[in-house]
Amino acid sequence: MIKQEEYSMNHSEHLLNLAKMAGFDHCAYLETKDIIFDEALRKSCEQNTCGNYGRNWACPPHCGEIRECIKKAKQYRSAIVVQYIGQLEDSYDFEGMVAAAETFEKMFNQLADLFKKEISDTYPLSAGGCHQCSRCAILENKPCVHPKTAYPSLESHGIYVSDLAQKTNMKYINGQNTVTYFGAVLYHAKEDSCI
């Protein structure tokens, strides 16, 4: 019989393989206890530098109060961190950045679906909030159109992506004419004692 620790690692390796097969450039396992959560990061969201604060169901303040978001994330034991590197024509290639973001979001949503089939309790955190709709329903005072796949961002939960990159041995910046997106699926390892 396989010990729980061995099974958890085998299962994590299986999940990493799913992430690789989904097309991510890099992926890594990380225990959630090793992630630094900082409530102060929410202040960056409140400054609305991205333009989504209060304008997207998956972004603050609608994704939840920062302490509650951190508390929920910390309930999970493990995380698979994924990275997608989009290629740009030049550093002003805004259309390329948007296309890379769309590619990342599609890949991440597919990965989250795969994980949900493997594990009943997951908590996906994406890059920059949800962009599935060209205009978020919140702007019309309507409920979210995609409530099961409108994933909040890592930053909205107080996670510094640069620290996450360092802890998983990934580059935060991947060279000239690239744009890099990160996400993580937090989960509980299966409690089965054998495969």
Side-chain angles (χ1 to χ4, degrees):
M1 191 174 283
I2 298 173
K3 293 180 182 176
Q4 175 61 35
E5 296 82 26
E6 291 173 2
Y7 176 72
S8 293
M9 188 48 71
N10 287 339
H11 193 245
S12 297
E13 289 172 9
H14 171 66
L15 296 175
L16 284 168
N17 284 332
L18 289 177
K20 290 173 188 170
M21 289 187 320
F24 289 99
D25 293 296
H26 301 283
C27 53
Y29 170 84
L30 186 65
E31 289 190 17
T32 308
K33 68 178 178 62
D34 295 327
I35 298 173
I36 296 173
F37 294 89
D38 185 356
E39 292 179 20
L41 186 55
R42 182 61 73 90
K43 293 191 186 328
S44 296
C45 292
E46 292 168 359
Q47 292 173 356
N48 200 26
T49 53
C50 73
N52 286 327
Y53 186 83
R55 300 177 55 82
N56 190 306
W57 277 115
C59 290
H62 307 295
C63 65
E65 193 273 324
I66 185 63
R67 286 186 184 104
E68 289 302 313
C69 289
I70 291 172
K71 181 179 176 182
K72 182 173 181 177
K74 284 183 172 182
Q75 291 174 0
Y76 293 86
R77 189 179 123 202
S78 306
I80 298 293
V81 179
V82 295
Q83 178 191 61
Y84 173 71
I85 304 166
Q87 300 300 314
L88 306 174
E89 289 184 21
D90 56 47
S91 58
Y92 300 102
D93 182 9
F94 181 73
E95 288 145 2
M97 291 177 201
V98 170
E102 289 172 355
T103 298
F104 172 84
E105 188 162 34
K106 285 177 187 170
M107 290 169 52
F108 190 77
N109 288 349
Q110 290 173 351
L111 182 67
D113 286 344
L114 286 172
F115 274 40
K116 287 176 185 177
K117 290 175 184 170
E118 296 277 330
I119 305 166
S120 60
D121 190 11
T122 63
Y123 193 44
L125 297 174
S126 190
C130 176
H131 302 286
Q132 294 179 76
C133 300
S134 59
R135 181 173 165 82
C136 185
I138 197 167
L139 299 173
E140 308 297 328
N141 291 322
K142 293 182 180 175
C144 180
V145 176
H146 304 283
K148 293 184 179 181
T149 59
Y151 302 123
S153 70
L154 292 160
E155 297 89 347
S156 73
H157 282 56
I159 299 171
Y160 286 97
V161 175
S162 56
D163 182 63
L164 204 59
Q166 182 181 13
K167 286 185 173 156
T168 55
N169 295 315
M170 295 183 203
K171 291 181 182 177
Y172 181 67
I173 298 172
N174 285 280
Q176 191 172 2
N177 300 333
T178 65
V179 61
T180 305
Y181 295 98
F182 285 84
V185 180
L186 284 63
Y187 65 97
H188 297 292
K190 286 189 176 183
E191 297 299 325
D192 301 333
S193 60
C194 62
I195 295 178

